[in-house]
Every structure is written in structure tokens, then in C-alpha cells.
Amino acid sequence: MTGLRLSLSRAIALSLSCALASCAVGPDFIAPAPPDVERFTAGPTASPGGGQRFREGAEIPARWWEAFGSQRLDDLVDEALARSPTLEAADAAIRATQFNAFAGSGAFFPQVSLGSNSSYNLSSGDATNSTVLQTPFSFFTKQVQISYTLDIWGAAARNVESLDALRDQQIYLKQAAHLTLAANVVKAAIEEASLRGQIAATRRVIALEEERLALLRRQLEYGGVAGTDILSQQTALEQARQTLPPLESRLAQQRNLLTALAGRYPSEEVDATFALAQFSPPRDLPLSLPSRLVAQRPDIKGAEANLHSASALIGVAVAARLPNITLSANGSTSAFALAQLFQPGTFGYALAGNIAQTAFDGMILYNKQKAAEASFDQAKAQYRDTVVRAFQNVADALRALQSDARSLQSTRGAERTTKKYLESVRLRLEVGSVSQLAVVDAQRAYLAAALSRIQSEAQRLTDTAALFVALGGGW
């Protein structure tokens, strides 16, 4: 008996030493190295200009949306993050994976079960003799069963490793949802501001077209224009009017979108409204080093965690093909009366060890291992795809900002030019060298240029937000 106890102690010690030494079958996970590239674009990345510049290596602020200088926007983003059902669901997913990891850790401990059996029996000494008295009796048994499967090959350790990686993946998915939600609020607010500016400019254009039509009609009375000129102007007026309802509809939809992002129903519309004048484009734009991007983007970290989980499952599949050792102990006490259960002579125990090895299973375990290895290859390819797309996002944002700067410079120049022309025409009207109709035409050109400038400013703000998101949002 002493030798059996010593053998059990040695087996347990061997299992623990293996676990401490991390002697688990299957590959040990190594995080992929960052891509060996020096920049995000094919050529050097020049600052966009127009009041903005890239700061290479600068850290991205966690609350990056505050860089736009709008307190209304800051408050709305905070409300959206606090009330979002998407983030609430992400929290629940994290808790679920955490509890699954806790459950997997239970394999490191012995499994203990308690049993109780009570019976009332009736037997006779001689079934052929009906005159023999039958004597009823009771029998009580209480037992404790302990079993422990040695994790010699690290199957339990690899399983917990996989579950921990899945928990990490859910954490990164929440970070990605957090980043996406903040970005959606910022973009929706900028779009609302753009639509309000476009609607205001369109209404001024409509007013000018109406004024021009009235002038043409007065000139028609004096024979100064033909009837076709009136029809042409009526057509221009109706075309201008047609552009207003779609803008108003888009504005209403943006209000509904902002309300939904804030976790409210459409009938509980948010109070905050936005105009482009409320936003200040950030002057300094952080530009992370390419080698840092893989550590900043939550989607890349999530793909890495998925790869880690798939790697650990290979070890689980390999361990399933190797011998398993299970130790068990059973202690019990039995008596004919409850009061006698713990008296001397009622106790008994059994110690056992079991070694199991699959001899033939129709290649089931082998094919499961191959499936795990194929899943790892799939996760590796998905990781590379995520990294490539992330670099593409950054490159697109950089090029967009450079283009936005040129576009904004052009539209601002056009607006200044048409404004100067309008002022010149107005001066000439005062001395009688031009008609009021020329002034209306100059005003129309100026408002068209102002509308283009509004759209360019909104696009630059949107692309600025896209750069923060592409770089990982400073989570």
C-alpha cells in the first residue's frame, strides 16, 4: 500500500513538473513579426498642407475626437459610448469567454463526487419453505470518489491557452467596436454639418433664381428679353428646387442616425446640432511608424488572438492521440444502521490507475489533428489579410488628406475669386454700367463656389477622422 501511495505521489509530481515546465505538445505560439516596410505609401509621405501636417511617430490620443475642438461632439460621443447596446453585448461576450476559460481550468484539479445509497431489503433463508420467516433489513452506503487525469501532454493547458486567446479576441473586438462607434458618431456629425451648409447655400441659390426670374419677367414687359429666356430661367429655378428635398431628407436621416448611435429611439432625438464652423481641423496629425501599426489596430490584435487560439488547438489534437493516465480513489463506509456508519470496520477504500491509448479509431484523431493544422493555416492567412487591409486603410487616408488639401485650396480660391467678382459687379451696378441681372448671375456663381467649398471642408474633416481610425484610434 505504501508503494502504491508513493507511485501516485510521483505521478502527480511528474504531471505538475511537466505543467510548470510547459512541456505541452503542439507548437508554442510566437506572435507574427511586424511587416518589414518603412512607409505606408509607395513614395515619401508629404504633409497635406492647408494648415495640416503629419507628425511621424506621434502617439494617438485615446480620445482622438477631441482634436476637432467641438464640445457638442465630445458630449455626444461620450453618450454613445455609455449607452451603446453594441458595447454592452461586447462586454457580455467577454464575460462568456472568461467563464469558459475558468471552466477549462477545472481540468487542472481533481474531480470529487459524493454518493449516498440507502436500501430497504427483504430476504428469506429458504425460498422453498414458506414457513421460514422473512427478515427485513436496511443497508446504508456513503462514498467519496476522486479522479484526476494527469495532463502529461498539456492537453488541458493548451485548451485553456486557446480559451484565453478567445477571451483576448473578444476584448479586441470590443475595442474595435468602441473605435467604430466613435468614428461613426464623428462622421455622422460632420455629415450633418455639411448637409446644413449645403441646404443653406441651396436655399440662397433658389432665392437668387427666383429673383433672376422676376427680373427677366420685368424685362420681358419692356421687350428686353424673349419668352424663351423666361422658360430657360424657370427650368433653372425648378432644377435648383429639385436639389433641396433630397438634402433635407438626408439631413433627417442623419439626425436619426445620430440619435440611434446615442442609444436612443428616433422619437428621442438628440438635442445637439452641428455646423461646420463648430469644427476645427487638427493641425498636427499623428502618423505612427508602420512597425507600430500591428500593435495599435484592435482588428489586427483580434486576428492575432484568433491565430493564437488556433495554434493551441493543434496541441489539443496532438495530445488526444497520446496515452492518457487517470488516477482514481474511492472511499466509502457501509452499515446496516445510520448510527453505525462511522464505526470501526465500516470503512473501505480503493486506489486505481488507468492508462488508455487509442489503438484504432478509423483515423479520426489523425484527421482531427490535420483539421486543426488547416484551421491554423486559415487563421494565419486571415491575419495577413487583416494586416494588408490595415496598411491599405492608412495609405488611403494619407492620400485622401493630400488630395483634400489641394481640393480645399482650389475651392477656397474659386470662392475668393467669385466673391471679388461679385463685389466688382455691385460697384459697377452703382454707376449704372451693368444691370441687376448681372449681379444675380455673379451671386449665383459665388454661391456655387461656396457650396463646393463646404463639401471640400466636410470631406477633409471626414478623412481626418478616417486617419485616426486607420491608425487604431489610440485605444
Side-chain angles (χ1 to χ4, degrees), residues 15-38:
S15 178
L16 291 175
S17 63
C18 279
L20 292 175
S22 300
C23 58
V25 295
D28 291 327
F29 180 72
I30 300 176
D36 187 18
V37 295
E38 297 180 354

Side-chain angles (χ1 to χ4, degrees), residues 7 62 88 125 159 187 238 242 250 269 274 277 295 386 389 422 426 435 439 467:
S7 298
E88 184 179 348
N159 183 56
K187 292 177 181 179
E238 293 304 323
Q242 288 175 4
R250 288 173 57 191
E269 183 177 300
F274 297 94
T386 302
R389 291 181 181 274
L422 175 59
R426 283 173 174 170
S435 66
V439 176
L467 176 62

Side-chain angles (χ1 to χ4, degrees), residues 166-229:
L166 292 179
R167 177 206 57 206
D168 293 340
Q169 182 185 30
Q170 290 299 325
I171 292 174
Y172 295 129
L173 288 177
K174 181 190 175 182
Q175 297 288 357
H178 183 284
L179 176 60
T180 301
L181 178 59
N184 287 340
V185 174
V186 172
K187 292 177 181 179
I190 294 172
E191 179 66 14
E192 178 186 326
S194 174
L195 288 171
R196 289 189 185 278
Q198 293 178 57
I199 288 173
T202 301
R203 286 173 176 168
R204 291 197 297 270
V205 168
I206 292 173
L208 286 175
E209 297 293 355
E210 292 173 342
E211 182 180 350
R212 192 174 194 277
L213 179 60
L215 291 173
L216 288 174
R217 282 173 174 168
R218 284 198 297 269
Q219 291 183 0
L220 180 64
E221 294 176 359
Y222 298 100
V225 297
T228 55
D229 295 328

Side-chain angles (χ1 to χ4, degrees), residues 281-431:
R283 175 177 175 80
D284 294 327
L285 300 176
L287 180 57
S288 305
L289 298 176
S291 59
R292 288 284 301 157
L293 184 65
V294 295
Q296 293 178 179
R297 292 256 310 204
D299 57 339
I300 295 179
K301 297 300 291 182
E304 180 183 320
N306 182 57
L307 181 63
H308 188 175
S309 175
S311 172
L313 289 178
I314 295 177
V316 175
V318 173
R321 302 180 61 194
L322 300 173
N324 289 318
I325 299 177
T326 301
L327 307 178
S328 62
N330 186 346
S332 64
T333 177
S334 303
F336 293 102
L338 284 174
Q340 299 173 348
L341 276 175
F342 299 101
Q343 292 182 0
T346 62
F347 293 96
Y349 67 90
L351 301 176
N354 178 60
I355 299 179
Q357 167 66 58
T358 301
F360 178 76
D361 63 353
M363 306 292 284
I364 293 177
L365 296 179
Y366 172 80
N367 287 315
K368 284 187 176 182
Q369 177 183 336
K370 290 301 180 181
E373 293 170 352
S375 295
F376 176 75
D377 292 338
Q378 179 187 16
K380 187 189 301 183
Q382 291 171 340
Y383 175 83
R384 291 199 306 271
D385 181 66
T386 302
V387 173
V388 169
R389 291 181 181 274
F391 275 71
Q392 177 195 350
N393 292 157
V394 177
D396 288 346
L398 296 176
R399 293 306 190 195
L401 284 170
Q402 292 170 339
S403 177
D404 291 340
R406 295 192 297 268
S407 176
L408 188 56
Q409 182 181 8
S410 177
T411 55
R412 283 176 174 173
E415 185 180 22
R416 286 193 300 268
T417 300
T418 54
K419 184 178 181 181
K420 289 181 180 179
Y421 175 70
L422 175 59
E423 292 172 349
S424 174
V425 171
R426 283 173 174 170
L427 290 175
R428 294 169 62 188
L429 177 66
E430 293 178 0
V431 298

